Amino acid sequence: VFKFLSATLDRSNLHSHEGAAFEYTVQFGAGTTHACVNVTVSGPVVLVKAPPPRIVLDASGVGRFGGKIRATQVAPGTTIPFAIDPVITDCR
């Protein structure tokens, strides 16, 4: 069991070649010691840097992971939604 505490995205670099950094902070339930994440994206973005597959948890069960995405070109004036989809699993 886990709960997302925060999620951030540096939109200022979304259209740059280096990509926009994203980060999630997650609180895991008691007894969780091994958590893994796989991130996929949808919409007009590509994953530039995926997070490491293993989420390191601190003593209170909080873990952080992040990576980078970059926007792909769309028609001028068009607004198309995108998604960053983390899938968290127990990786014992």
Side-chain angles (χ1 to χ4, degrees):
V1 176
F2 61 89
K3 175 174 79 170
F4 287 100
L5 299 177
S6 68
T8 60
L9 173 63
D10 176 16
R11 290 181 179 267
S12 65
N13 287 323
L14 192 56
H15 296 281
S16 69
H17 286 290
E18 60 268 2
F22 65 86
E23 182 177 274
Y24 288 89
T25 303
V26 185
Q27 173 72 58
F28 289 88
T32 302
T33 56
H34 298 88
C36 289
V37 65
N38 181 38
V39 173
T40 59
V41 295
S42 59
V45 295
V46 294
L47 193 59
V48 175
K49 180 183 175 192
R54 182 150 180 145
I55 302 171
V56 177
L57 307 180
D58 66 15
S60 62
V62 173
R64 291 176 179 74
F65 64 90
K68 290 188 176 190
I69 60 168
R70 179 173 42 85
T72 58
Q73 190 168 2
V74 297
T78 306
T79 302
I80 301 173
F82 66 88
I84 303 170
D85 299 310
V87 175
I88 297 174
T89 58
D90 183 346
C91 57
R92 282 183 224 198

